[in-house]
Amino acid sequence: MKEKFIKSTLILVLGGFITKVLGMIIRIITTRVIGVDGLGLYMMVLPTFNLFITIATLSLPTAISKLVAEGTRNNKKLVLGFLPIAIIFNIFLIILIILLSPFIANNLLHNEILYYPIMSIGITLPFITTSSIIKGYFFGKEKMFPNVVSNMIEQITRIISIIFIIPYLLKINISYAVSGLVFINCLSEGLGIVTLLLFMPSKTKISKNDIKPDLNNIKDIFSISIPTTTSRLISSIGLFLEPIIITFVFLKLGYQTSYITKEYGIISGYVLPMVMMPNFLSGAISSALLPVISKSYANKKYKETKRKLILACKLSLLIGIICTIILFIFPEECLKLLFNTTLGANYLQITSIIFLISYILNPLSSCMQAMDKSKQLMKINIIGVIIKTSLLFILTYLDINMWPLIIACGVQYIYITIRIINVIRKNL
């Protein structure tokens, strides 16, 4: 088990590193192709996109991974039997997004340009959900290589699409270009799904009975996914409210929409991605950790569970410290290297310190889920989002640029981390 955990972690770390590098290339190309204003518009849409992804995927990778790892069910029926339900639910979300798009764009984000980009979100959801279900199966089987290859294919597809499609759409108008950035996910996720299917056992035969939903499997999936989804949904709602609150308050303070979009784009498009960059490593460690801890905790091997968690946290924190030192000493150089800009360097330096604690949140959250503490995790996240949103609303009135967003996020991470550590200590 130890060798398998280390092997799975190394595969995910290496694959995550390659995927993250490709992701940074995507962000660099996107910034240079669509410009700061276009990036700002996309970042205004992104919280809405993430919110609907959270609703659509229902935390299925986590739920399916845990159930597959337990090895007590028919995995083929577990995965295929839930697909029809997921697709029907996604169709409902598509209709909902089409109906809500005008209201979100005009009344919440106060920018009619965002109408088509928001409406585009719906089409991507079935592709993302299907991909997440299949990835959950491979995570549960501790087969990390298919997911790594799939992620790389998705990122390469995005790079090629941005280079060749977005400039053409930009000639029409910027709304079409931002919509294109959203639509590209259909193509990338579609190719990712095909890649994952190629790694399925060659002798797999699918019958009508496999696709028929099993009530026991559905109940088991929902018992894990609903608390986890609620927790993530609350976090996504917090992100969804960010641009709405900032836009509302700044407009009351007398700022123009163009200024708000640009400043928010600098924080969410440059600063936060740089600071959160090490999280792909802690995320890789957490993905490998979940099935291992699920097994050891279910077998009441608490010392082994604790040892694996401490190792994961130490690795995540070590990576975070190294990145924090680099970003604090060379903020302008890092921004110039990746985005060909120094905008946000003053934010980046301080943010790198504030966000250091966030690097251990992934393994801690995975441990909570493996210990069947999803409901407690949900409550902690809800309170964290309430604290963050309240602080953001209050501090933004101080008219100190985008610092309220950074301070609010930092306080949220500190609170959630401390609460989770307390829960784990009581149970291990």
Side-chain angles (χ1 to χ4, degrees):
M1 182 182 288
K2 182 178 179 181
E3 289 180 357
K4 197 168 187 179
F5 169 65
I6 294 172
K7 182 181 177 181
S8 299
T9 302
L10 288 175
I11 291 173
L12 283 173
V13 168
L14 179 59
F17 175 74
I18 296 171
T19 303
K20 195 68 178 182
V21 169
L22 293 173
M24 293 305 298
I25 292 172
I26 288 172
R27 195 173 291 275
I28 293 166
I29 293 172
T30 302
T31 304
R32 299 189 182 193
V33 169
I34 205 168
V36 176
D37 292 335
L39 181 66
L41 289 170
Y42 180 66
M43 288 302 160
M44 295 289 280
V45 172
L46 198 56
T48 306
F49 195 7
N50 289 333
L51 173 63
F52 279 101
I53 287 175
T54 301
I55 298 172
T57 56
L58 293 169
S59 299
L60 293 175
T62 300
I64 291 175
S65 173
K66 187 177 187 301
L67 294 175
V68 169
E70 291 175 357
T72 58
R73 296 167 180 80
N74 182 331
N75 292 331
K76 185 166 63 171
K77 192 167 182 61
L78 176 70
V79 174
L80 296 178
F82 199 80
L83 266 175
I85 296 173
I87 296 300
I88 292 171
F89 180 59
N90 274 256
I91 292 172
F92 166 76
L93 288 178
I94 291 172
I95 297 170
L96 183 64
I97 290 171
I98 291 172
L99 295 175
L100 291 178
S101 294
F103 177 77
I104 295 173
N106 298 322
N107 298 88
L108 297 182
L109 297 176
H110 302 281
N111 198 328
E112 61 182 12
I113 295 175
L114 300 177
Y115 169 66
Y116 287 114
I118 293 171
M119 195 164 62
S120 304
I121 291 170
I123 310 301
T124 69
L125 297 181
F127 294 91
I128 295 171
T129 301
T130 304
S131 176
S132 70
I133 291 173
I134 302 173
K135 286 177 180 178
Y137 163 77
F138 282 112
F139 277 128
K141 299 293 288 185
E142 295 185 61
K143 295 180 179 179
M144 308 305 174
F145 187 68
N147 288 337
V148 168
V149 175
S150 174
N151 289 337
M152 289 171 61
I153 294 294
E154 290 172 16
Q155 296 293 62
I156 292 171
T157 303
R158 289 188 181 101
I159 290 173
I160 295 172
S161 300
I162 291 169
I163 292 173
F164 290 100
I165 297 176
I166 301 305
Y168 171 76
L169 294 175
L170 198 57
K171 291 178 181 178
I172 303 174
N173 62 53
I174 198 165
S175 179
Y176 280 28
V178 177
S179 301
L181 289 175
V182 177
F183 264 126
I184 283 170
N185 288 276
C186 296
L187 181 59
S188 62
E189 295 288 343
L191 290 175
I193 292 168
V194 173
T195 304
L196 289 170
L197 292 177
L198 293 175
F199 285 96
M200 287 290 184
S202 57
K203 296 182 180 180
T204 301
K205 294 182 180 180
I206 300 174
S207 64
K208 290 183 179 179
N209 189 52
D210 293 326
I211 302 175
K212 184 179 178 181
D214 183 283
L215 291 179
N216 289 326
N217 285 337
I218 292 171
K219 182 180 177 182
D220 290 338
I221 289 172
F222 279 143
S223 68
I224 300 169
S225 70
I226 289 178
T228 306
T229 300
T230 304
S231 178
R232 292 177 178 173
L233 183 60
I234 295 300
S235 297
S236 296
I237 289 173
L239 292 173
F240 173 70
L241 291 174
E242 272 183 16
I244 295 172
I245 291 172
I246 290 170
T247 301
F248 173 78
V249 176
F250 271 107
L251 285 175
K252 289 194 72 173
L253 292 174
Y255 289 93
Q256 297 296 316
T257 302
S258 57
Y259 170 83
I260 300 167
T261 302
K262 183 178 179 180
E263 288 297 304
Y264 185 75
I266 290 171
I267 295 295
S268 56
Y270 297 149
V271 177
L272 294 183
M274 291 283 289
V275 172
M276 303 305 289
M277 194 186 307
N279 276 341
F280 83 89
L281 290 166
S282 62
I285 293 168
S286 301
S287 297
L289 187 70
L290 180 59
V292 173
I293 287 187
S294 295
K295 289 180 182 178
S296 62
Y297 190 79
N299 294 324
K300 298 183 179 180
K301 297 179 180 178
Y302 301 131
K303 288 185 178 180
E304 183 179 334
T305 302
K306 188 175 182 179
R307 187 167 62 250
K308 288 288 191 299
L309 175 61
I310 291 173
L311 175 61
C313 287
K314 284 181 178 179
L315 288 172
S316 299
L317 193 58
L318 176 62
I319 294 162
I321 290 171
I322 294 171
C323 292
T324 298
I325 292 171
I326 294 172
L327 294 177
F328 182 79
I329 298 175
F330 307 108
E332 293 186 357
E333 290 79 1
C334 290
L335 286 168
K336 190 70 176 178
L337 177 65
L338 293 180
F339 301 119
N340 194 33
T341 183
T342 58
L343 293 173
N346 57 325
Y347 290 120
L348 180 59
Q349 195 170 36
I350 305 301
T351 305
S352 64
I353 299 174
I354 295 175
F355 276 57
L356 178 59
I357 197 171
S358 70
Y359 301 133
I360 61 172
L361 265 180
N362 278 329
L364 290 174
S365 297
S366 288
C367 184
M368 290 279 284
Q369 290 159 359
M371 293 164 56
D372 292 321
K373 301 295 179 183
S374 297
K375 290 183 179 179
Q376 284 182 269
L377 182 61
M378 175 189 70
K379 293 177 182 177
I380 292 170
N381 279 327
I382 289 173
I383 297 173
V385 171
I386 292 172
I387 291 172
K388 172 195 166 185
T389 305
S390 302
L391 272 176
L392 178 61
F393 184 77
I394 295 168
L395 295 178
T396 303
Y397 275 102
L398 297 178
D399 195 6
I400 49 175
N401 296 323
M402 290 292 166
W403 287 111
L405 177 57
I406 294 168
I407 294 169
C409 288
V411 172
Q412 178 193 27
Y413 284 135
I414 292 169
Y415 169 80
I416 292 174
T417 303
I418 293 172
R419 284 291 308 277
I420 291 176
I421 289 173
N422 288 335
V423 173
I424 293 174
R425 287 179 64 183
K426 291 178 181 178
N427 289 274
L428 286 181

